């Protein structure tokens, strides 16, 4: 029988040979150092969870090198005669990808193991395990499965909708509480469905989910004709996260799938708790549409009513939630995570992905999380939350100094907004110019939202576009405390915003006009992320 040599035996032989060249005591010291790296790698392979403390770069590079050597393109003496043999012309490109060339998955399943690429397959599965652990750390403790997909959030949502089409072939509509962001709207169109836009309701300064209107749409269209409810957690103030718990209950009541756009919600424990909606028990009246058997366990030990114990302690129904890699893990754009509480459904989504996929997003996330460790990621989350308080206080002071106010949006844990009524009263174009001025002064991400903007997307016209509402009472400016923000970012933003407001107000006072046209400039559109 063929004997597979033990790696440690080979290391011992190698070190023994080294002892004949350099002092054995020095070699043993080097051997112990190597074992320290190997021990960290061994623990990670055993536990498949995010290590509590981050690794040194040398450990990560050793780990990646060991994995890459398992791929056929890195075999010594490999003879490839197929059309896909991991050949790369540029050594710079090869090094950039740590010589992982084959990608992940196979033609029929993005999660499948590749015979030619054991190392890349390991990388894929280990990254998914790491990310699953971090999702639980962030607040969705009952999540059952997830996978990294090399597409941004919009296309990943499309993949979810296309998977649901197989389960609900007669469905035509997607019910969507309005959020003025193009990609999530186009995701539904691209999948071949008709979005049914549910306008938000204004409660004080906040824009909240109109639950009555959602249920009315369900009854008018008929549950059998609806693919799913498509809700949102992370959003620009004054819009707040959708009322996920109540929407989940409606979806359970009418046996409707529920897909959540959680684009940058993973970094917020509040957003994650909305998805988890971890209540111990909720008494729910019997309904013929209720209790799809693949999502619920029933306790019928009570005579007068029954209690529903959803898998993962959920109240209601959430089939999948999608989040961006770049926003939540500080990696380059190009990947997302699709996660859910039912492992079989998440597997069906992964099987829907056609062909192999790039390993780059998985590699970036693996390196990042091994560098941070669980403690490092928790620290980033805590710092983001702290900076939210700092931004809140500073923006409130600045708004008051300019005769404006910080809008009251306590249900939004990431984004803030301050009114711009004085600019609007002085000149219609001043609000739009503010966004452009900030962008040219290297303030990115702030959104100056004027009144009355119209936008048509795939034949649907949104009034008051960017404000998530047809006629919001005032123009405003957005700013977000997102993952990776620093105190210096907040300080510079407040300083530059103050300067821009003073310049614009001075212009308005002098001639009642600005030097810029009322239509958005290219700089302004770039600043708004259009």
């Amino acid at each position: 029988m063929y004997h597979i040599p033990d790696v440690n035996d080979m290391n011992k032989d190698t070190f023994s040979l080294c002892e004949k060249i350099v002092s054995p005591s020095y070699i043993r010291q080097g051997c112990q150092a190597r074992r320290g790296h190997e021990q960290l790698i061994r623990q990670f392979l055993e536990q498949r969870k995010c290590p509590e403390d981050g690794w040194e770069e040398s450990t990560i590079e050793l780990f990646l090198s060991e994995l890459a050597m398992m791929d056929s393109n890195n075999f010594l003496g490999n003879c490839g005669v197929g059309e896909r043999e991991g050949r790369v012309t540029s050594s710079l490109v090869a090094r950039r990808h740590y010589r992982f060339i084959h990608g992940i998955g196979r033609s029929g399943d993005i999660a499948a193991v590749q015979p030619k690429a054991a190392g890349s397959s390991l990388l894929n599965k280990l990254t998914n395990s790491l990310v699953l652990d971090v999702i639980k750390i962030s607040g969705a403790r009952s999540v059952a499965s997830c996978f990294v997909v090399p597409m941004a959030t919009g296309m990943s949502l499309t993949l979810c909708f296309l998977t649901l089409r197989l389960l609900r072939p007669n469905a035509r509509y997607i019910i969507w509480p309005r959020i003025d962001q193009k990609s999530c709207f186009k995701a539904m169109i691209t999948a071949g469905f008709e979005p049914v836009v549910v306008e938000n309701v204004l409660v004080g300064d906040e824009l909240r989910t109109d639950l009555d209107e959602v249920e009315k749409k369900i009854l008018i269209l008929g549950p059998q004709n609806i693919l799913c409810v498509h809700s949102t957690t992370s959003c620009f103030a004054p819009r707040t996260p959708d009322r996920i718990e109540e929407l989940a209950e409606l979806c359970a009541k009418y046996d409707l799938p529920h897909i959540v756009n959680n684009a940058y919600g993973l970094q917020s424990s509040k957003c994650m708790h909305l998805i988890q909606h971890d209540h111990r028990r909720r008494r729910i009246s019997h309904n013929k549409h209720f209790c799809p058997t693949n999502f619920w366990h029933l306790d019928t030990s009570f005579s007068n009513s029954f209690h529903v114990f959803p898998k993962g302690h959920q109240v209601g129904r959430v089939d999948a939630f999608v989040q961006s890699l770049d926003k939540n893990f500080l990696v380059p754009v190009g990947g997302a995570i699709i996660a859910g509480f039912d492992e079989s459904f998440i597997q069906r989504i992964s099987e829907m992905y056609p062909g192999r996929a790039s390993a780059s997003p998985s590699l970036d996330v693996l390196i990042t999380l091994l560098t941070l460790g669980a403690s490092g990621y928790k620290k980033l989350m805590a710092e983001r939350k702290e900076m939210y308080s700092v931004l809140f206080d500073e923006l409130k002071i600045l708004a008051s100094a300019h005769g404006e106010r910080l809008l009251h949006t306590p249900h939004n844990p990431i984004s803030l907004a301050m009114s711009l009524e004085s600019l609007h009263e002085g000149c219609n174009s001043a609000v739009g110019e503010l966004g452009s001025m900030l962008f040219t002064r290297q303030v990115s991400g702030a959104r100056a939202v004027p009144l009355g903007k119209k936008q048509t997307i795939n034949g649907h016209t949104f009034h008051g576009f960017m404000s998530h509402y047809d006629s919001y009472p005032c123009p405003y400016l957005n700013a977000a405390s997102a993952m990776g923000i620093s105190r210096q970012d907040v300080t510079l933003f407040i300083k530059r915003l103050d300067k821009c407001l003073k310049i614009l107000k001075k212009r308005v006072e002098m001639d009642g006009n600005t030097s810029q046209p009322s239509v958005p400039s290219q700089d302004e559109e770039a600043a708004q992320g259009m």
Side-chain angles (χ1 to χ4, degrees):
M1 182 180 291
Y2 178 72
H3 171 67
I4 300 177
D6 185 84
V7 175
N8 290 326
D9 290 341
M10 289 190 289
N11 286 341
K12 288 177 184 178
D13 292 341
T14 302
F15 284 120
S16 295
L17 292 171
C18 292
E19 288 177 358
K20 296 178 180 180
I21 304 172
V22 177
S23 170
S25 62
Y26 298 156
I27 298 300
R28 283 194 291 272
Q29 188 178 29
C31 180
Q32 290 172 357
R34 165 86 184 204
R35 285 178 184 149
H37 294 293
E38 292 175 345
Q39 180 63 22
L40 290 173
I41 294 171
R42 187 179 300 111
Q43 288 175 353
F44 175 48
L45 293 173
E46 288 174 350
Q47 299 171 2
R48 303 178 198 175
K49 293 184 177 181
C50 192
E52 183 61 28
D53 299 314
W55 290 3
E56 298 292 333
E57 285 187 8
S58 55
T59 307
I60 296 173
E61 289 179 336
L62 172 64
F63 179 49
L64 295 177
S65 177
E66 297 282 357
L67 289 183
M69 283 194 290
M70 297 183 192
D71 284 3
S72 62
N73 60 289
N74 298 314
F75 292 173
L76 294 177
N78 181 60
C79 176
V81 293
E83 83 291 350
R84 186 186 58 81
E85 298 300 331
R87 302 182 183 106
V88 174
T89 300
S90 170
S91 61
L92 184 62
V93 170
R95 292 198 304 274
R96 175 175 176 259
H97 295 276
Y98 285 88
R99 305 190 187 279
F100 292 102
I101 311 301
H102 285 284
I104 58 175
R106 302 187 74 179
S107 59
D109 186 354
I110 194 176
V113 173
Q114 289 192 55
K116 289 182 181 179
S120 294
S121 299
L122 273 168
L123 182 150
N124 183 31
K125 290 187 177 297
L126 290 170
T127 301
N128 291 340
S129 295
L130 257 181
V131 170
L132 184 67
D133 188 41
V134 171
I135 292 174
K136 292 179 179 179
I137 289 171
S138 298
R141 295 177 300 277
S142 302
V143 63
S145 181
C146 74
F147 68 98
V148 172
V149 59
M151 303 185 296
T153 306
M155 286 302 296
S156 298
L157 287 166
T158 296
L159 188 65
C160 294
F161 301 144
L162 290 173
T163 305
L164 286 175
R165 168 178 275 169
L166 299 178
L167 304 176
R168 301 174 71 85
N170 297 321
R172 175 182 171 187
Y173 305 101
I174 295 178
I175 293 181
W176 180 65
R178 174 179 170 179
I179 177 168
D180 291 353
Q181 203 272 340
K182 291 181 181 178
S183 66
C184 55
F185 185 79
K186 292 171 74 174
M188 298 179 282
I189 300 290
T190 302
F193 294 96
E194 183 178 331
V196 178
V197 182
V198 176
E199 294 292 337
N200 300 298
V201 291
L202 185 62
V203 181
D205 289 332
E206 289 187 318
L207 292 167
R208 308 216 65 195
T209 315
D210 190 338
L211 295 170
D212 291 337
E213 187 64 22
V214 169
E215 186 164 23
K216 187 183 296 182
K217 296 289 188 186
I218 293 172
L219 294 173
I220 291 173
L221 297 171
Q224 72 280 2
N225 298 315
I226 299 169
L227 184 81
C228 66
V229 172
H230 175 198
S231 63
T232 306
T233 55
S234 50
C235 53
F236 296 119
R239 195 193 191 281
T240 62
D242 278 321
R243 298 172 68 172
I244 303 295
E245 295 182 38
E246 292 94 332
L247 288 174
E249 290 181 8
L250 280 176
C251 288
K253 178 179 178 182
Y254 294 103
D255 192 11
L256 281 175
H258 184 190
I259 304 296
V260 180
N261 176 5
N262 190 45
Y264 52 97
L266 189 59
Q267 61 192 273
S268 166
S269 58
K270 285 188 177 180
C271 288
M272 296 308 293
H273 289 151
L274 286 176
I275 294 172
Q276 171 69 28
H277 42 85
D278 186 11
H279 296 290
R280 292 182 182 178
R281 181 177 294 184
R282 181 73 62 91
R283 181 172 294 182
I284 303 176
S285 61
H286 184 69
N287 185 293
K288 65 179 180 179
H289 296 295
F290 192 65
C291 292
T293 56
N294 59 326
F295 281 89
W296 303 91
H297 296 307
L298 302 182
D299 182 344
T300 56
S301 59
F302 299 91
S303 57
N304 295 327
S305 63
F306 66 81
H307 293 255
V308 180
F309 296 91
K311 293 181 181 178
H313 307 293
Q314 296 181 77
V315 173
R317 180 170 175 176
V318 172
D319 294 65
F321 53 101
V322 180
Q323 37 274 304
S324 168
L325 289 183
D326 62 287
K327 298 178 182 72
N328 296 289
F329 293 103
L330 309 182
V331 297
V333 171
I337 305 160
I338 299 176
F341 301 98
D342 185 274
E343 186 173 1
S344 63
F345 179 62
I346 300 304
Q347 183 179 348
R348 293 196 72 160
I349 299 175
S350 73
E351 292 171 352
M352 191 70 180
Y353 187 96
R356 293 172 181 82
S358 170
S360 291
S362 295
L363 181 60
D364 290 340
V365 171
L366 179 66
I367 292 172
T368 300
L369 289 179
L370 289 178
T371 300
L372 287 171
S375 60
Y377 193 77
K378 291 174 186 175
K379 183 180 178 184
L380 279 176
M381 290 181 68
E383 289 172 349
R384 186 212 67 77
K385 191 173 182 180
E386 179 186 354
M387 285 303 102
Y388 177 89
S389 297
V390 173
L391 181 62
F392 180 96
D393 293 338
E394 294 292 327
L395 203 55
K396 185 174 183 179
I397 292 170
L398 180 69
S400 178
H402 286 274
E404 303 289 353
R405 65 189 184 87
L406 187 67
L407 301 182
H408 184 61
T409 56
H411 289 94
N412 193 318
I414 297 175
S415 179
L416 294 163
M418 64 169 279
S419 67
L420 295 174
E421 291 183 285
S422 58
L423 287 186
H424 178 70
E425 291 170 359
C427 175
N428 288 334
S429 64
V431 174
E433 189 183 354
L434 177 62
S436 182
M437 289 177 68
L438 287 170
F439 187 69
T440 57
R441 286 160 177 77
Q442 299 179 352
V443 175
S444 60
R447 303 167 79 245
V449 181
L451 296 179
K453 182 179 175 65
K454 289 200 301 184
Q455 179 75 47
T456 299
I457 308 173
N458 293 92
H460 185 94
T461 299
F462 293 88
H463 297 274
F465 189 71
M466 293 198 305
S467 65
H468 323 285
Y469 194 67
D470 281 355
S471 54
Y472 196 76
C474 68
Y476 57 85
L477 178 82
N478 279 122
S481 176
M483 181 76 82
I485 191 173
S486 67
R487 188 175 290 270
Q488 183 182 19
D489 291 326
V490 175
T491 300
L492 285 174
F493 166 63
I494 294 297
K495 181 179 179 181
R496 292 170 184 174
L497 175 58
D498 181 43
K499 187 174 182 179
C500 289
L501 287 171
K502 287 176 179 176
I503 291 171
L504 282 172
K505 286 188 173 183
K506 187 175 181 180
R507 286 185 190 173
V508 169
E509 290 172 0
M510 289 177 62
D511 56 21
N513 204 346
T514 63
S515 59
Q516 300 295 324
S518 59
V519 296
S521 66
Q522 288 184 345
D523 286 340
E524 184 189 347
E525 289 201 353
Q528 313 298 2
M530 301 296 285

